Amino acid sequence: MYVVANRVPVAPGWEEAFEERFRHRAGRIEQNPGFIRMEVLRPADEESPWIVLTHWEDEDAFRQWLSSDDFKEAHNNPLPHEAYTEEGRLERHEVVIASDGAATK
């Protein structure tokens, strides 16, 4: 599995608008081959950024999405520059060990 973490420093006052973009996003990421899931994580403190995690079968599936019309549509009409306190940061990871509670129940 391939996981991409987009760390987004949302400016105070823009939190709801940021969430709404994901609640009503134009793209259909779920329909993309190799997509597993997406999570939007709201920070629990003022110092942490928002994190958007996407999980993919492999890096190629993620790269295919980056070049898709869905990606372009999902990122069309972004929030204004003042909605962010600084540039975001994209991190990419390959899963080498995974565990969940289902195995212990």
Side-chain angles (χ1 to χ4, degrees):
M1 187 176 350
Y2 193 70
V3 179
V4 179
N6 189 0
R7 297 181 182 278
V8 186
V10 177
W14 287 94
E15 300 89 352
E16 186 62 31
F18 183 77
E19 279 188 39
E20 283 300 311
R21 290 189 60 81
F22 288 94
R23 281 194 197 100
H24 304 289
R25 66 188 183 280
R28 305 288 310 164
I29 193 171
E30 297 85 355
Q31 306 303 316
N32 285 272
F35 174 80
I36 297 172
R37 76 174 176 271
M38 178 178 71
E39 299 158 321
V40 178
L41 308 178
R42 181 187 302 139
D45 59 64
E46 294 179 12
E47 293 80 37
S48 297
W50 288 69
I51 301 175
V52 179
L53 293 176
T54 54
H55 300 255
W56 303 88
E57 288 178 4
D58 54 32
E59 182 179 2
D60 187 55
F62 172 69
R63 290 189 181 281
Q64 291 294 321
W65 176 67
L66 288 178
S67 63
S68 72
D69 288 340
D70 176 61
F71 177 85
K72 292 173 191 146
E73 188 176 344
H75 293 84
N76 188 29
N77 196 24
L79 291 176
H81 189 68
E82 62 266 15
Y84 308 100
T85 58
E86 59 187 79
E87 289 291 319
R89 187 169 124 195
L90 199 66
E91 300 172 348
R92 303 171 188 206
H93 306 273
E94 289 185 27
V95 176
V96 295
I97 299 169
S99 179
D100 64 35
T104 61
K105 295 180 182 175

